Amino acid sequence: MKHYLITGGCGFIGGHLAHELSAAGHRVTVLDDFSSGREDNAPPEARIVRGCVTDGALLSELAGTCDGIVHLAAIASVEAAADDPERAVAVNVGGTRNALAAARSGNIPLVYASSAAVYGDAGARRVRESDRCAPISDYGAQKLECERELRGIGPLATIVRPFNVYGPRQHPASPYSGVIARFIALCRTGEPLRINGDGSQSRDFVYIADIVRLLTAALKREAGEPLTVNGCTGQTVTVLELAGAIAAACGTEPDIRHGPARAGDILHSCGDPDLAAASLGFKARTPLDAGLRETVAWQRGTDQ
Ligand SMILES: NC(=O)c1ccc[n+]([C@@H]2O[C@H](COP(=O)([O-])OP(=O)(O)OC[C@H]3O[C@@H](n4cnc5c(N)ncnc54)[C@H](O)[C@@H]3O)[C@@H](O)[C@H]2O)c1
């Protein structure tokens, strides 16, 4: 049995990871400030500490009894980071420096959730980890800066670049919530799905259980060189196709309204999954329609 610290462990990804590690018999400590997370996302047996990752002393103290850190706490979207740029730098960069210092002083592995946003607008091809990174948002630039600093700690760091993660417990009410959660909620109430532009923009959607498997594999990695891997499927769907698939999963006809294309939107985003497969044995295995069914079922369950 090991003891892991998950920063942001009451968030969407962190809550699922906390459940998984706990179910596997590990002790889990969560550090979360509840800015977007919810206590009931984490398993009841986890120790939950309310606090901020900008508090380096607290992070180091918590990490002191742990065998590894998964650092997920962040102002976790392009829009949210743009809304409060100063706070975003303090949390996204400063918080990661604190996680790095805690891992270094405890000589324990650190898994960091970066983002596909580091690539910027790379076109329709599958992007590889070795490709040039040219983020077009402050959020992406903050993630890239943290990656650079993390690689400096040597063999203990694994950097995961999730693409578009979706699944149960991604709450649709948040203005920063992913498109899948929002579209499902709209379909279920019979409201139109508003698409920016013609809907030909495409994304690589990866199901939450797959990302949790990847983070877990990264955490258990034997010491070696620092590693950076995509968290992706290597497949894309257009937003228009997605709207149709979500309507089908909800058992409705899609009511689609097109609005103006959003300035600065990345048109295509697709990751190359080969390095994660070769280095960590990871392959996303949840087809989009199956993941959508689970996500719809979860949203329906929240009505009761
Ligand atoms: N969801 C995705 O599609 C996706 C894609 C790429 C990268 N990521 C990254 O994965 C990580 C987790 O994302 P998520 O989707 O679970 O987001 P989320 O907002 O659901 O979770 C983030 C958690 O961190 C907590 N938090 C925020 N600021 C904090 C602070 N200063 N101190 C302590 N806790 C704090 C929040 O309360 C929340 O529980 C983030 O770093 C995000 O940038 C997510």
Side-chain angles (χ1 to χ4, degrees):
M1 184 187 86
K2 301 234 173 180
H3 181 189
Y4 294 115
L5 173 64
I6 307 177
T7 72
C10 287
F12 166 51
I13 297 176
H16 280 276
L17 179 67
H19 274 274
E20 175 66 28
L21 292 175
S22 191
H26 301 298
R27 271 176 70 200
V28 172
T29 295
V30 164
L31 174 63
D32 204 296
D33 71 351
F34 298 104
S35 52
S36 64
R38 308 157 56 118
E39 189 163 347
D40 61 2
N41 278 344
E45 60 276 18
R47 175 184 175 210
I48 297 175
V49 177
R50 180 187 282 263
C52 183
V53 287
T54 57
D55 183 345
L58 174 62
L59 225 167
S60 285
E61 184 200 319
L62 295 176
T65 56
C66 289
D67 301 295
I69 305 174
V70 184
H71 178 52
L72 303 173
I75 311 282
S77 75
V78 169
E79 297 78 13
D83 282 350
D84 190 347
E86 240 173 73
R87 175 85 185 142
V89 170
V91 172
N92 292 357
V93 181
T96 304
R97 283 186 185 139
N98 290 337
L100 165 60
R104 196 188 257 150
S105 74
N107 198 29
I108 54 176
L110 172 65
V111 177
Y112 171 58
S114 178
S115 168
V118 297
Y119 291 115
D121 202 349
R125 75 201 158 84
R126 288 177 167 187
V127 279
R128 289 207 180 118
E129 294 82 349
S130 55
D131 286 346
R132 193 173 143 263
C133 289
I136 60 169
S137 62
D138 288 347
Y139 167 79
Q142 289 154 12
K143 293 283 188 186
L144 189 59
E145 170 59 24
C146 293
E147 287 195 5
R148 284 201 191 102
E149 296 191 20
L150 280 168
R151 283 189 200 100
I153 74 167
L156 300 167
T158 311
I159 294 160
V160 175
R161 294 174 174 167
F163 279 62
N164 288 68
V165 189
Y166 72 100
R169 292 197 223 125
Q170 196 171 34
H171 290 271
S174 159
Y176 308 123
S177 183
V179 63
I180 289 185
R182 281 184 286 115
F183 274 12
I184 291 175
L186 291 170
C187 267
R188 293 182 57 236
T189 50
E191 288 169 77
L193 308 182
R194 292 187 193 284
I195 291 181
N196 304 320
D198 64 4
S200 63
Q201 58 272 47
S202 62
R203 296 289 181 270
D204 183 335
F205 290 101
V206 56
Y207 188 60
I208 183 65
D210 288 323
I211 281 295
V212 164
R213 265 194 307 111
L214 175 59
L215 292 170
T216 307
L219 197 51
K220 294 181 178 162
R221 184 168 82 93
E222 296 293 321
E225 288 305 302
L227 176 69
T228 303
V229 293
N230 288 335
C232 65
T233 66
Q235 312 288 327
T236 53
V237 290
T238 67
V239 171
L240 201 55
E241 289 165 342
L242 178 71
I246 287 176
C250 292
T252 59
E253 285 297 315
D255 176 7
I256 292 167
R257 314 275 167 92
H258 293 272
R262 215 166 42 174
D265 243 3
I266 288 177
L267 277 185
H268 303 289
S269 171
C270 182
D272 187 313
D274 289 352
L275 184 61
S279 56
L280 296 173
F282 169 76
K283 192 173 182 316
R285 54 185 179 215
T286 312
L288 183 66
D289 56 350
L292 290 179
R293 276 199 304 275
E294 293 292 328
T295 312
V296 170
W298 175 79
Q299 278 204 20
R300 286 193 174 127
T302 61
D303 296 342
Q304 282 132 38

